[in-house]
């Protein structure tokens, strides 16, 4: 009876683990509850089983913690400051999740990466399908005005109906699409139909939203996938040429994508204040100047937005002031907050991940997508971005922990 109960609890722990990867479609508070329950059960089983704690393996997980320790230090020094309290709340998961994932990786049975990836793909597909239906029924998707000014009205309707910021949906959709395409030939015939329909909705919504960096990642990813999967050079060249024609044709047909592309020549020849490229250029210059002034130690997360806003006032960029735009660059955000040393620590974390998963296609696609989007978005300043980077980053360390445990057990048995 006790064994049955233990097995049921263990299954619950695994279900909660998989539930973490439904974050694209689940409310944030649900994901937080799933994680708390998963953490409690993991600690319980670790206490019961008492597996050996190996620091040489744990230090890989600990690298996720180090770049964010300054947030904790600043909070301890300025605990009454509301800004740093809010910043630490967003980063708390970085202090807990690496420990929980490591302890969980030490337990048996081992957690399956493929099931977590499939949960994520399914969540993005469900979100895409529901959002497309809502937009068709409730959104003015066939009006030209909806797609003006970088498809502002359409993006606004999308965010209201999906509950996701376009840049995060674009990132999730792009990653899930590339995973499906890379392993499409491995799926069964019946599943291919379902995945094909899901892929269609994800790509359609991604293109219509026209978030710049996710689309760039998607194009680069498709080029890479074709290169890895197709050995025939003539066939590969034909696919590249066909894709180029398709991209050009799509750009002419879809208003939001066409308006996005027209921003490029307008950036050089027609300085329209509504051009998002000009806005990003202003944001980058302000953030860069603030970083350079205190690049050794930074100015503290509690002061960052105030100084960026002051720069917006000085150059009369009132849209940025009213919206309180952050640096839109994760590396600059960390550097402005705490200096070049924290950037180096974060780059060390990314380097470790690259060395571990460079030959693992799913992990490689995730890491490249994350790094590229960090050049145009501070994705770790929102909970969804933290879930994406932290959960998958830790997930892709599991094979190496499992491999170590398997080898250790084999050696011990001998």
């Amino acid at each position: 009876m006790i064994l049955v109960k233990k097995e049921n609890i263990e299954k619950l722990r695994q279900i909660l683990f998989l539930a973490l990867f439904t974050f694209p479609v689940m409310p944030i508070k649900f994901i937080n509850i799933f994680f708390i329950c998963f953490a409690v059960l993991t600690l319980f089983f670790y206490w019961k089983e008492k597996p050996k704690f190996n620091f040489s393996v744990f230090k890989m997980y600990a690298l996720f913690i180090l770049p964010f320790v300054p947030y904790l230090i600043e909070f301890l020094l300025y605990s009454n400051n509301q800004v740093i309290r809010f910043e630490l709340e967003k980063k708390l998961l970085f202090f807990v999740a690496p420990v929980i994932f490591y302890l969980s990786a030490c337990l048996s049975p081992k957690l399956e990466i493929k099931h977590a990836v499939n949960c994520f793909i399914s969540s993005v597909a469900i979100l895409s399908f529901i959002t497309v239906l809502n937009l068709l029924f409730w959104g003015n998707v066939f009006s030209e005005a909806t797609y003006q000014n970088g498809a502002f009205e359409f993006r606004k309707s999308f965010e209201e109906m999906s509950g996701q910021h376009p840049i995060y949906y674009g990132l999730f959709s792009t990653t899930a699409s590339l995973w499906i395409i890379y392993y499409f030939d491995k799926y069964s015939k019946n599943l291919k139909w379902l995945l094909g329909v899901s892929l269609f909705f994800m790509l359609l919504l991604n293109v219509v939203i026209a978030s710049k960096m996710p689309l760039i990642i998607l194009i680069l990813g498709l080029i890479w996938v074709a290169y890895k999967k197709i050995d025939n050079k003539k066939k590969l060249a034909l696919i590249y040429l066909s894709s180029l024609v398709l991209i050009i044709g799509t750009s002419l047909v879809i208003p939001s994508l066409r308006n996005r592309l027209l921003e490029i020549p307008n950036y050089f020849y027609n300085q329209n204040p509504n051009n998002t490229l000009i806005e990003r250029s202003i944001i980058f210059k302000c953030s860069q100047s603030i970083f350079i002034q205190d690049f050794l130690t930074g100015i503290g997360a509690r002061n960052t937005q105030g100084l960026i806003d002051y720069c917006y006032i000085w150059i009369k960029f009132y849209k940025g002031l009213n919206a309180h735009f952050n640096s839109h660059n994760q590396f600059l955000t960390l550097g402005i907050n705490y200096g070049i040393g924290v950037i180096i620590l974060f780059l060390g974390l990314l380097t470790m991940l690259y060395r571990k998963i460079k030959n693992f296609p799913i992990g490689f696609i995730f890491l490249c997508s994350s790094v590229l989007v960090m050049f145009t978005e501070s994705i770790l300043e929102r909970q969804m971005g933290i879930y994406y980077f932290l959960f998958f980053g830790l997930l892709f360390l599991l094979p190496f922990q499992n491999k170590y445990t398997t080898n250790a057990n084999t050696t011990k048995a001998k």
Side-chain angles (χ1 to χ4, degrees):
M1 189 73 178
I2 296 175
L3 290 175
V4 173
K5 186 176 180 181
K6 179 182 177 182
E7 290 175 359
N8 290 337
I9 296 174
E10 176 56 40
K11 287 181 181 178
L12 176 60
R13 186 180 75 89
Q14 294 186 53
I15 291 171
L16 288 169
F17 172 74
L18 296 179
L20 297 178
F21 295 89
T22 64
F23 62 84
V25 75
M26 280 287 181
I28 289 175
K29 61 181 180 181
F30 281 33
I31 300 299
N32 291 338
I33 292 172
F34 294 155
F35 179 78
I36 291 171
C37 295
F38 170 69
V40 169
L41 290 179
T42 297
L43 290 172
F44 170 75
F45 279 109
Y46 190 85
W47 173 73
K48 291 288 289 183
E49 297 181 15
K50 295 180 175 59
K52 182 180 178 181
F53 185 92
N54 190 285
F55 181 76
S56 64
V57 177
F58 174 73
K59 64 184 180 182
M60 293 189 298
Y61 294 80
L63 279 177
F64 282 88
I65 301 174
L66 290 180
F68 303 96
V69 170
Y71 287 93
L72 178 60
I73 296 173
E74 186 177 2
F75 170 74
L76 294 175
L77 294 175
Y78 304 95
S79 57
N80 293 326
N81 186 281
Q82 293 296 322
V83 176
I84 188 56
R85 289 179 66 181
F86 180 60
E87 288 296 325
L88 183 64
E89 285 176 10
K90 291 189 291 184
K91 304 298 190 297
L92 273 178
L93 203 59
F94 278 99
F95 296 95
V96 181
V99 177
I100 297 301
F101 268 67
Y102 168 76
L103 297 180
S104 185
C106 296
L107 301 174
S108 296
K110 301 304 178 185
L111 301 171
E112 291 285 346
I113 286 181
K114 64 179 181 180
H115 296 326
V117 169
N118 288 337
C119 279
F120 175 77
I121 292 174
S122 301
S123 298
V124 178
I126 292 169
L127 178 63
S128 303
F129 181 71
I130 294 174
T131 304
V132 168
L133 291 181
N134 281 331
L135 287 170
L136 287 173
F137 281 106
W138 304 106
N140 195 10
V141 296
F142 300 109
S143 172
E144 181 74 21
T146 306
Y147 302 96
Q148 300 299 320
N149 297 327
F152 175 78
E153 289 298 330
F154 180 82
R155 290 160 64 88
K156 182 180 177 182
S157 298
F158 166 82
E159 192 165 358
E160 291 173 352
M161 295 178 185
S162 68
Q164 285 285 3
H165 189 281
I167 191 68
Y168 292 94
Y169 171 80
L171 176 62
F172 302 158
S173 175
T174 293
T175 305
S177 298
L178 291 173
W179 286 344
I180 291 174
I181 294 170
Y182 191 92
Y183 286 105
F184 194 76
D185 58 330
K186 305 296 183 182
Y187 295 105
S188 65
K189 185 177 180 180
N190 292 334
L191 195 55
K192 283 181 179 179
W193 281 100
L194 181 60
L195 288 173
V197 173
S198 301
L199 186 62
F200 171 78
F201 281 107
M202 285 191 285
L203 292 177
L204 174 65
L205 204 50
N206 206 350
V207 169
V208 176
I209 292 170
S211 289
K212 291 186 289 292
M213 184 51 75
L215 285 179
I216 292 172
I217 295 170
L218 179 61
I219 292 171
L220 293 176
L222 290 174
I223 292 172
W224 179 80
V225 170
Y227 175 78
K228 297 291 286 187
K229 302 290 284 186
I230 300 172
D231 296 326
N232 189 305
K233 292 184 178 179
K234 289 184 178 179
K235 186 177 180 181
L236 181 62
L238 181 61
I239 289 176
Y240 284 161
L241 181 61
S242 302
S243 300
L244 178 61
V245 173
L246 180 62
I247 291 170
I248 295 173
T250 304
S251 303
L252 296 175
V253 172
I254 298 179
S256 54
L257 193 56
R258 183 172 65 247
N259 290 335
R260 284 292 197 184
L261 291 175
L262 287 176
E263 286 186 328
I264 299 174
N266 290 337
Y267 175 79
F268 297 100
Y269 302 111
N270 180 19
Q271 296 289 304
N272 187 327
N274 290 322
N275 190 317
T276 59
L277 293 179
I278 295 175
E279 293 176 356
R280 289 301 182 95
S281 178
I282 294 171
I283 293 169
F284 178 77
K285 289 177 181 177
C286 280
S287 302
Q288 183 185 48
S289 64
I290 293 171
F291 168 64
I292 290 173
Q293 289 176 14
D294 293 278
F295 77 97
L296 286 178
T297 59
I299 61 175
R302 71 192 186 283
N303 301 317
T304 296
Q305 193 59 53
L307 278 181
I308 293 177
D309 287 345
Y310 180 79
C311 181
Y312 295 155
I313 295 173
W314 186 66
I315 60 178
K316 300 181 180 180
F317 180 42
Y318 298 115
K319 180 180 178 180
L321 173 65
N322 294 330
H324 299 293
F325 287 148
N326 61 31
S327 68
H328 283 69
N329 183 305
Q330 188 60 57
F331 304 102
L332 270 179
T333 295
L334 291 172
I336 292 171
N337 289 348
Y338 302 114
I340 190 68
V342 171
I343 295 180
I344 293 172
L345 282 175
F346 190 64
L347 290 176
L349 165 61
L350 296 177
T351 301
M352 181 275 293
L353 278 176
Y354 172 75
R355 291 176 61 186
K356 293 297 179 183
I357 62 181
K358 62 182 179 181
N359 296 319
F360 184 39
I362 291 182
F364 181 77
I365 290 171
F366 151 76
L367 184 59
C368 289
S369 299
S370 298
V371 172
L372 287 173
V373 82
M374 284 179 185
F375 283 107
T376 60
E377 296 291 337
S378 300
I379 67 168
L380 302 184
E381 304 310 305
R382 285 203 181 200
Q383 207 68 40
M384 281 294 164
I386 291 174
Y387 289 152
Y388 174 79
F389 178 74
L390 187 56
F391 287 165
F392 277 116
L394 293 170
L395 177 73
F396 294 133
L397 288 183
L398 291 181
F400 308 100
Q401 165 65 2
N402 293 347
K403 181 180 178 181
Y404 175 85
T405 304
T406 303
N407 291 342
N409 291 339
T410 304
T411 303
K412 186 176 180 180
K414 289 180 179 180

